[in-house]
Short mmCIF file of all heavy atoms in Angstrom, two decimals:
data_model
loop_
_atom_site.label_atom_id
_atom_site.label_comp_id
_atom_site.label_asym_id
_atom_site.label_seq_id
_atom_site.Cartn_x
_atom_site.Cartn_y
_atom_site.Cartn_z
N ARG Q 50 -36.98 105.50 280.47
CA ARG Q 50 -38.40 105.21 280.72
C ARG Q 50 -38.45 104.53 282.20
O ARG Q 50 -37.52 103.72 282.53
CB ARG Q 50 -39.11 104.21 279.71
CG ARG Q 50 -39.09 104.80 278.35
CD ARG Q 50 -39.84 105.99 278.16
NE ARG Q 50 -41.30 105.91 278.42
CZ ARG Q 50 -42.14 106.76 278.43
NH1 ARG Q 50 -41.82 108.06 278.25
NH2 ARG Q 50 -43.45 106.45 278.50
N THR Q 52 -41.64 102.54 283.82
CA THR Q 52 -42.92 102.07 283.42
C THR Q 52 -43.63 101.15 284.46
O THR Q 52 -43.04 100.18 284.87
CB THR Q 52 -42.84 101.10 282.06
OG1 THR Q 52 -42.18 101.92 281.06
CG2 THR Q 52 -44.22 100.66 281.65
N ILE Q 54 -45.81 98.31 285.56
CA ILE Q 54 -46.13 97.20 284.83
C ILE Q 54 -46.45 95.93 285.71
O ILE Q 54 -45.68 95.79 286.65
CB ILE Q 54 -45.03 96.95 283.69
CG1 ILE Q 54 -45.49 95.89 282.70
CG2 ILE Q 54 -43.69 96.56 284.32
CD1 ILE Q 54 -44.55 95.77 281.42
N PHE Q 66 -45.67 91.03 280.32
CA PHE Q 66 -46.21 91.16 278.99
C PHE Q 66 -46.53 92.67 278.77
O PHE Q 66 -46.78 93.38 279.67
CB PHE Q 66 -47.56 90.48 278.82
CG PHE Q 66 -47.46 88.99 278.59
CD1 PHE Q 66 -47.69 87.98 279.49
CD2 PHE Q 66 -47.03 88.51 277.40
CE1 PHE Q 66 -47.47 86.78 279.34
CE2 PHE Q 66 -46.91 87.15 277.07
CZ PHE Q 66 -47.14 86.26 277.99
N SER Q 67 -46.23 93.13 277.51
CA SER Q 67 -46.45 94.58 277.14
C SER Q 67 -46.94 94.71 275.68
O SER Q 67 -46.45 93.96 274.83
CB SER Q 67 -45.14 95.40 277.39
OG SER Q 67 -45.24 96.61 276.71
N GLU Q 68 -47.83 95.66 275.55
CA GLU Q 68 -48.24 95.99 274.17
C GLU Q 68 -47.21 96.69 273.31
O GLU Q 68 -47.32 96.63 272.20
CB GLU Q 68 -49.59 96.86 274.20
CG GLU Q 68 -50.71 96.11 274.80
CD GLU Q 68 -51.88 96.93 275.00
OE1 GLU Q 68 -51.82 97.98 275.54
OE2 GLU Q 68 -53.09 96.55 274.61
N GLY Q 69 -46.25 97.30 274.03
CA GLY Q 69 -45.21 98.06 273.38
C GLY Q 69 -45.02 99.28 274.13
O GLY Q 69 -45.28 99.46 275.22
N GLY Q 70 -44.39 100.34 273.46
CA GLY Q 70 -44.16 101.57 274.07
C GLY Q 70 -42.67 102.03 273.94
O GLY Q 70 -41.79 101.21 273.53
N LEU Q 71 -42.33 103.12 274.53
CA LEU Q 71 -41.02 103.61 274.39
C LEU Q 71 -39.85 102.90 275.18
O LEU Q 71 -38.73 102.94 274.92
CB LEU Q 71 -40.95 105.16 274.90
CG LEU Q 71 -41.54 106.01 273.86
CD1 LEU Q 71 -41.64 107.46 274.32
CD2 LEU Q 71 -40.92 105.98 272.41
N LYS Q 72 -40.39 102.07 276.06
CA LYS Q 72 -39.43 101.31 276.90
C LYS Q 72 -38.57 100.39 276.00
O LYS Q 72 -37.46 100.03 276.12
CB LYS Q 72 -40.02 100.42 278.02
CG LYS Q 72 -41.04 99.39 277.57
CD LYS Q 72 -41.73 98.82 278.78
CE LYS Q 72 -43.08 98.22 278.47
NZ LYS Q 72 -44.15 99.31 278.12
N PHE Q 73 -39.24 100.00 274.79
CA PHE Q 73 -38.57 99.12 273.80
C PHE Q 73 -37.48 99.86 273.03
O PHE Q 73 -36.38 99.25 272.77
CB PHE Q 73 -39.55 98.37 272.90
CG PHE Q 73 -40.33 97.39 273.62
CD1 PHE Q 73 -41.57 97.81 274.24
CD2 PHE Q 73 -39.96 96.11 273.74
CE1 PHE Q 73 -42.35 96.80 274.83
CE2 PHE Q 73 -40.64 95.18 274.57
CZ PHE Q 73 -41.87 95.51 275.04
N ARG Q 74 -37.58 101.12 272.83
CA ARG Q 74 -36.49 101.99 272.34
C ARG Q 74 -35.30 101.95 273.25
O ARG Q 74 -34.24 101.88 272.96
CB ARG Q 74 -36.90 103.44 272.07
CG ARG Q 74 -35.94 104.24 271.32
CD ARG Q 74 -36.43 105.47 270.62
NE ARG Q 74 -37.28 105.16 269.64
CZ ARG Q 74 -38.45 105.75 269.30
NH1 ARG Q 74 -38.73 106.86 269.95
NH2 ARG Q 74 -39.17 105.43 268.27
N HIS Q 134 -52.93 92.21 267.57
CA HIS Q 134 -51.34 92.60 267.39
C HIS Q 134 -50.63 91.79 268.56
O HIS Q 134 -51.20 91.17 269.37
CB HIS Q 134 -51.26 94.11 267.96
CG HIS Q 134 -51.85 94.38 269.26
ND1 HIS Q 134 -51.14 94.23 270.38
CD2 HIS Q 134 -53.07 94.93 269.65
CE1 HIS Q 134 -51.90 94.66 271.37
NE2 HIS Q 134 -53.01 95.08 270.92
N ASP Q 135 -49.35 91.70 268.22
CA ASP Q 135 -48.55 90.91 269.21
C ASP Q 135 -48.45 91.49 270.62
O ASP Q 135 -48.44 92.86 270.68
CB ASP Q 135 -47.05 90.69 268.81
CG ASP Q 135 -46.99 89.71 267.70
OD1 ASP Q 135 -47.75 88.77 267.62
OD2 ASP Q 135 -46.06 89.74 266.87
N MET Q 136 -48.46 90.77 271.65
CA MET Q 136 -48.02 91.32 273.04
C MET Q 136 -46.54 90.81 273.10
O MET Q 136 -46.16 89.71 272.70
CB MET Q 136 -48.98 90.56 274.07
CG MET Q 136 -50.33 91.04 274.03
SD MET Q 136 -50.57 92.74 274.60
CE MET Q 136 -50.22 92.57 276.44
N TYR Q 137 -45.71 91.74 273.64
CA TYR Q 137 -44.30 91.49 273.88
C TYR Q 137 -44.17 90.83 275.20
O TYR Q 137 -44.82 91.21 276.10
CB TYR Q 137 -43.53 92.71 273.53
CG TYR Q 137 -43.73 93.32 272.14
CD1 TYR Q 137 -44.53 94.32 271.91
CD2 TYR Q 137 -43.10 92.77 271.02
CE1 TYR Q 137 -44.92 94.82 270.65
CE2 TYR Q 137 -43.41 93.15 269.73
CZ TYR Q 137 -44.28 94.16 269.52
OH TYR Q 137 -44.58 94.74 268.41
N LEU Q 138 -43.09 89.94 275.27
CA LEU Q 138 -42.83 89.46 276.63
C LEU Q 138 -41.37 89.78 277.00
O LEU Q 138 -40.36 89.49 276.18
CB LEU Q 138 -42.95 87.93 276.49
CG LEU Q 138 -42.75 87.15 277.80
CD1 LEU Q 138 -43.51 87.54 279.02
CD2 LEU Q 138 -42.87 85.63 277.55
N ILE Q 139 -41.18 90.37 278.13
CA ILE Q 139 -39.83 90.85 278.69
C ILE Q 139 -39.62 89.83 279.85
O ILE Q 139 -40.42 89.71 280.71
CB ILE Q 139 -39.82 92.26 279.15
CG1 ILE Q 139 -40.30 93.15 278.10
CG2 ILE Q 139 -38.45 92.59 279.76
CD1 ILE Q 139 -40.68 94.56 278.56
#
Side-chain angles (χ1 to χ4, degrees):
R50 298 299 288 174
T52 305
I54 190 167
F66 280 104
S67 173
E68 293 175 311
L71 290 176
K72 66 186 151 293
F73 289 94
R74 185 165 294 142
H134 60 83
D135 282 337
M136 290 288 286
Y137 301 98
L138 179 58
I139 304 165

